[in-house]
Amino acid sequence: MLIYGRNPVGEAFRAGKTAERIYFVKGERDARLSKLFSEAKDRRVPVEYVDRAVLDRLCGGGNHQGIAAQVSDFTYASLDDIFACAAERGEKLLAVLLDGITDPHNFGAIVRSAECFGAHGIVIPSRRSVGVTDTVVKVASGATEHMLIAKVTNINDAIRELKERNVWVYACDFGGEAPKTADLKDNTAIVVGSEGTGVHRLTRELCDGVITIPEYGKINSLNASVAAGIVLYETARQRK
């Protein structure tokens, strides 16, 4: 996997990710790039200097900030790993389930919010959903290196397992209660629907409740990543 940008590459180093090669733009060097160059040398990672046009092409036109790294593919976790993370931190479980998120920018932003607000893991389905791509890593600004992400065959089966393990599951959708009135202090999983169709009907019916963010403007729906961030903030506020 190719990741790019100073924060994603730096976080990959800090997380102990194995880098196979680092690309730097020729003729560009500042304090941050110099530090990453030194880290690459200390880790004995091969360094290659390339023209900006070459790096632009490698990164698909993304904002690489003069650096990219070829790293080992992302390693997905399991539900057990997410439960173990909560237990190790001595906290009630907080997980985010993504019901068909296909936009890597939304996924990356959700990963970033989940890490910032103390979630223990994210669960995605193996089909009809974006996985951890270079774009997701870039948008998450390195948060993918610190967030457990589990890939499951069926999101509804994952909800059933969570409920059997004493986790309250809430869908972010219309027609529910406001986040501040929901009790989010216990073991909690938040289901965020896709950009186009929202949470699927059967998935919503499996949930213990529905959370609806009050809106006062003229458009009637929030971006999936924004909605996830608001509910995650409220969860963290109640717990802290």
Side-chain angles (χ1 to χ4, degrees):
M1 175 189 293
L2 187 76
I3 63 174
Y4 53 88
R6 299 175 188 187
N7 279 341
V9 173
E11 292 298 336
F13 278 148
R14 281 187 280 279
K17 198 86 166 180
T18 300
E20 299 167 4
R21 184 172 296 275
I22 303 286
Y23 300 94
F24 287 93
V25 168
K26 287 180 180 177
E28 289 190 19
R29 187 69 62 83
D30 57 23
R32 186 75 187 278
L33 285 177
S34 295
K35 182 179 179 182
L36 292 171
F37 175 82
S38 297
E39 286 194 58
K41 284 297 188 183
D42 290 343
R43 295 166 183 267
R44 298 183 179 179
V45 179
V47 171
E48 185 173 338
Y49 291 98
V50 297
D51 293 330
R52 175 167 287 278
V54 173
L55 199 55
D56 288 344
R57 187 167 62 252
L58 284 173
C59 301
N63 182 20
H64 50 69
Q65 300 173 310
I67 185 171
Q70 192 71 45
V71 300
S72 54
D73 287 340
F74 185 81
T75 302
Y76 289 95
S78 66
L79 283 178
D80 285 340
D81 293 329
I82 295 173
F83 275 93
C85 177
E88 287 170 7
R89 284 158 53 174
E91 298 170 346
K92 295 290 188 180
L93 181 85
L94 175 56
V96 182
L97 281 68
L98 304 185
D99 183 21
I101 297 290
T102 57
D103 183 343
H105 294 87
N106 269 340
F107 186 16
I110 291 170
V111 174
R112 188 171 183 174
S113 293
E115 203 286 323
C116 287
F117 293 123
H120 303 102
I122 294 173
V123 182
I124 63 172
S126 57
R127 297 176 59 194
R128 294 186 290 276
S129 174
V130 67
V132 180
T133 65
D134 54 354
T135 301
V136 172
V137 173
K138 172 61 176 173
V139 174
S141 195
T144 50
E145 303 302 331
H146 306 287
M147 178 56 55
L148 295 174
I149 300 174
K151 185 181 283 189
V152 298
T153 303
N154 186 290
I155 206 76
N156 291 342
D157 287 342
I159 290 173
R160 293 184 183 98
E161 180 177 344
L162 288 167
K163 292 173 68 173
E164 289 173 359
R165 298 173 73 167
N166 300 315
V167 177
W168 293 91
V169 183
Y170 294 92
C172 287
D173 208 352
F174 296 108
E177 62 180 316
K180 68 178 182 180
T181 65
D183 184 357
L184 304 172
K185 296 186 289 293
D186 206 342
N187 295 319
T188 301
I190 298 163
V191 182
V192 180
S194 66
E195 298 84 359
T197 59
V199 178
H200 288 94
R201 180 185 59 80
L202 179 56
T203 303
R204 174 176 166 139
E205 290 174 356
L206 284 171
C207 293
D208 296 299
V210 177
I211 292 175
T212 303
I213 299 167
E215 299 173 28
Y216 307 104
K218 292 182 172 60
I219 59 174
N220 64 355
S221 66
L222 290 166
N223 172 281
S225 63
V226 174
I230 291 171
V231 178
L232 284 164
Y233 165 77
E234 174 58 26
T235 306
R237 188 196 67 78
Q238 290 187 20
R239 295 178 176 207
K240 300 298 182 184

